[in-house]
Amino acid sequence: AASWLNVRIVVLEVDPSTMRLTAAAVRRRISRRTMLVVASAPCYPHGVVDDVQAIADLCKRRGIPLHVDSCLGGFCLPLVQELRPDLVPTFDFRVPGVTSISADTHKFGMGQKGTSVLLYRSKEMRKFQYTAVTEWSGGLYISPTLPGSRNGGVVATAWASLICLGRSGLRASAEGILQARDVLVDAVSRIDGLCIMGIPAMGVVAVGTDTKAPNGGIDSLIVMDLLTARGWVLNALQKPLSFHVCFTGAHSLETARKLASDLAECAEEARRMKEKGVASDGKARVYGLGGTFPDRGAVGDLLIHYQDGVLGV
């Protein structure tokens, strides 16, 4: 969107201990040219909710709109907040200063892709999203979205999914996700050399290297490579190097316990590999190189060549 609209993105550093975006970080970088501030609830990499209340207070005082990206958590966090209010600070329109929120029905709403929701605090704000055409020979035209035409089928399936699940179904799903989350968080806390990145608010749990542990901890991406070899599908992260698991309603408590058991075994294997000086030939090597390569433009070019190759198959 920023590329299309010729808007410059100002990327802020999160608190390295909590992985949250703070109001202090926002305050240092906003200016008279700031048109929008974006906070996450939660962020995709670490599953952590930003300090929305403090950021919203700052934005309201400065007259800057605040968008809360809740695409990942929009249909899960409100139920988690009911079950475990200690995990989820208030992040929605109950917070003065929040002007818009996005939520994906195709994630924890269990619909199909193509039905994301964008909510505004007022109808007056929503009007700026519309495109009205009055001089076309084909007649008068107005579209509320960039795509124009929408697939009615996926909208119907999202509606059916939400009606079928209801609040009780979404709450039951959130409860199972929290149980799985707690199993993995507890397992990581028992492994000397690994750590949880921040305090995960729902099913996204990021595991990183505990650099404060003896010998610099265990390389988390080597652990990920070992888990991948056992059939687990995980996501590698960077800045800092780590990986995450995303629990959904499809994962049972037994699955979480099996993952926790495999994680402990793979962590010990990674520890032995480090002691013997054995390197990984998986994503640990790729992400380790990519994260330290100074020319980010070259890294971007590599991604473009990769995408060309995928589309050329």
Side-chain angles (χ1 to χ4, degrees):
S3 177
W4 291 351
L5 298 174
N6 195 29
V7 173
R8 182 171 67 91
I9 297 176
V10 178
V11 180
L12 306 182
E13 295 290 333
V14 298
D15 185 303
S17 61
T18 65
M19 310 310 293
R20 301 176 77 197
L21 178 64
T22 65
V26 175
R27 186 181 297 109
R28 286 193 293 268
R29 299 299 300 274
I30 57 176
S31 70
R32 61 182 181 82
R33 294 177 58 84
T34 302
M35 58 172 287
L36 178 72
V37 172
V38 180
S40 298
C43 68
Y44 168 79
H46 311 112
V48 173
V49 178
D50 289 335
D51 190 359
V52 173
Q53 296 181 50
I55 296 171
D57 180 65
L58 172 65
C59 289
K60 186 177 182 182
R61 286 189 281 110
R62 297 291 293 266
I64 301 171
L66 172 63
H67 175 73
V68 174
D69 180 353
S70 193
C71 286
L72 181 62
F75 287 89
C76 185
L77 276 187
L79 290 310
V80 172
Q81 196 171 48
E82 293 180 4
L83 296 163
R84 296 274 295 277
D86 59 303
L87 289 179
V88 185
T90 305
F91 64 91
D92 51 27
F93 290 129
R94 290 172 292 176
V95 179
V98 173
T99 54
S100 59
I101 303 173
S102 52
D104 285 349
T105 49
H106 70 261
K107 294 189 174 80
F108 291 91
M110 303 185 198
Q112 293 189 20
K113 282 193 173 184
T115 56
S116 298
V117 176
L118 179 57
L119 306 171
Y120 293 96
R121 179 173 285 277
S122 69
K123 290 183 179 179
E124 291 303 312
M125 290 194 66
R126 187 176 64 184
K127 290 179 181 178
F128 292 102
Q129 178 180 305
Y130 303 160
T131 299
V133 180
T134 61
E135 303 304 317
W136 180 37
S137 59
L140 301 177
Y141 178 83
I142 187 167
S143 174
T145 63
L146 283 174
S149 300
R150 300 296 300 278
N151 186 325
V154 294
V155 175
T157 58
W159 177 85
S161 174
L162 292 173
I163 292 298
C164 178
L165 288 166
R167 171 173 283 272
S168 61
L170 291 172
R171 184 184 173 99
S173 175
E175 191 168 8
I177 288 168
L178 282 178
Q179 290 174 350
R181 170 232 186 246
D182 290 346
V183 167
L184 187 60
V185 169
D186 180 67
V188 174
S189 70
R190 297 172 185 272
I191 300 173
D192 187 23
L194 293 179
C195 65
I196 296 293
M197 311 296 288
I199 302 176
M202 42 181 275
V204 176
V205 180
V207 180
T209 300
D210 183 0
T211 55
K212 297 179 182 178
N215 299 319
I218 303 170
D219 190 323
S220 59
L221 288 190
I222 291 180
V223 174
M224 188 198 73
D225 285 341
L226 295 172
L227 285 168
T228 300
R230 295 191 180 201
W232 295 101
V233 179
L234 308 165
N235 290 92
L237 310 173
Q238 61 176 348
K239 297 184 178 183
L241 295 175
S242 50
F243 69 90
H244 81 201
V245 179
C246 182
F247 291 114
T248 70
H251 295 111
S252 66
L253 191 56
E254 289 71 25
T255 300
R257 288 169 176 159
K258 174 59 176 171
L259 174 59
S261 175
D262 283 358
L263 175 66
E265 293 176 5
C266 290
E268 286 306 310
E269 184 176 348
R271 194 192 309 277
R272 292 193 295 271
M273 290 174 63
K274 182 176 182 178
E275 291 171 352
K276 296 178 181 179
V278 179
S280 169
D281 58 359
K283 285 189 177 180
R285 178 177 294 179
V286 174
Y287 271 73
L289 176 61
T292 57
F293 198 72
D295 190 343
R296 308 312 290 171
V299 176
D301 290 340
L302 287 173
L303 292 176
I304 291 172
H305 287 305
Y306 167 79
Q307 188 66 72
D308 276 343
V310 170
L311 296 178
V313 173

